[in-house]
Amino acid sequence: MSRFTFGLPEELRSYIHAVSLRETPLQKRLRDETAKLPQGGMQISPEQGQLMALLARLIGAKFYLEIGTFTGYSALSVAAALPADGRAICCDVSAEWTAIAKRYWQEAGLAARIELRLAPAVETLDALLASGQAGSVDLAFIDADKTGYAAYLERVWQLMRPNGLLLVDNVLWGGKVADSAASSPDTDALRAFNLRLKDDARFDISLLPIGDGLTLARKR
């Protein structure tokens, strides 16, 4: 959440897309198919996908780790920006949603570059650490269950190389994090996570009001 940058008037969003969005026809088809799902609001905005791809290129990412893949738009965007010998590991628990992702990855010619691991993300992250992958991830994206963000952060920090970049989605949560009257397990977890990351000296951070709020965190 959300398929569009939160809080932007429609006319401004349309203008931004008209003058800057370089979405491929394949990305557009995936976005349109996903929008028809009851859970379609979980998809990232196309401008966020484009930013993520740009960041991957800027830092020369070769190893991308994604926690929460849904129908694969973010992985499709970033994997296309990796070099030919790059790789992506995507963590999710839904065979149904990721079956859509795999179709589009295959059509894009990126299936060999993306490894999907269907299991609770903590299990996958712990397995990567146990296999000696600490300090190897260049770019990571957290966009899964919000109550799990704190646990994911600790494991991703270990897996990332120094100067690696972490992207954390949904940190504005439709504005609920700033609404003192709003309370739910997800909302409360995101508030706590945002404050925790603000005071985490292991990272340099910046919260961008793109999509549903995206925090960039560089590992020192």
Side-chain angles (χ1 to χ4, degrees):
M1 189 175 71
S2 105
R3 292 184 294 118
F4 307 106
T5 289
F6 169 70
L8 279 183
E10 172 61 33
E11 63 273 16
L12 184 55
R13 182 169 61 240
S14 296
Y15 176 78
I16 291 171
H17 285 191
V19 301
S20 70
L21 189 62
R22 295 180 175 179
E23 189 176 45
T24 67
L26 187 65
Q27 288 176 307
K28 179 65 163 57
R29 278 201 284 116
L30 173 54
R31 192 159 59 88
D32 289 344
E33 180 174 344
T34 303
K36 297 174 184 176
L37 299 175
Q39 306 86 356
M42 295 198 304
Q43 180 165 262
I44 67 167
S45 65
E47 57 269 26
Q48 180 173 324
Q50 185 166 306
L51 173 64
M52 291 171 63
L54 174 61
L55 292 170
R57 290 189 174 99
L58 280 172
I59 68 169
K62 294 182 69 174
F63 184 3
Y64 171 60
L65 175 64
E66 181 170 279
I67 303 167
T69 292
F70 192 35
T71 60
Y73 189 94
S74 51
L76 178 64
S77 301
V78 174
L82 300 179
D85 60 344
R87 64 173 177 144
I89 292 180
C90 295
C91 308
D92 208 285
V93 294
S94 173
E96 177 185 2
W97 292 340
T98 55
I100 299 172
K102 288 191 290 185
R103 282 196 284 109
Y104 283 88
W105 298 342
Q106 184 68 40
E107 187 174 346
L110 296 170
R113 195 177 294 178
I114 304 172
E115 178 186 351
L116 175 65
R117 297 198 181 185
L118 284 177
V122 165
E123 294 181 12
T124 297
L125 299 177
D126 285 345
L128 288 172
L129 288 168
S131 67
Q133 297 293 303
S136 63
V137 171
D138 301 302
L139 179 67
F141 181 43
I142 298 177
D143 185 19
D145 57 299
K146 311 312 166 191
T147 55
Y149 273 27
Y152 301 146
L153 177 69
E154 293 309 306
R155 290 161 173 83
V156 168
W157 180 82
Q158 296 178 66
L159 286 164
M160 289 178 63
R161 62 166 171 84
N163 295 314
L165 184 62
L166 169 63
L167 311 177
V168 186
D169 202 22
N170 303 126
V171 293
L172 294 181
W173 204 229
K176 294 183 182 70
V177 290
D179 182 356
S180 60
S183 181
S184 71
D186 287 339
T187 303
D188 296 341
L190 283 167
R191 283 198 191 105
F193 178 85
N194 289 339
L195 290 173
R196 175 178 180 169
L197 193 53
K198 177 180 181 292
D199 294 329
D200 194 330
R202 299 174 299 175
F203 295 96
D204 298 316
I205 67 168
S206 181
L207 194 163
L208 306 181
I210 187 171
D212 191 31
L214 182 71
T215 292
L216 279 58
R218 168 190 166 270
K219 180 178 176 178
R220 292 180 171 176

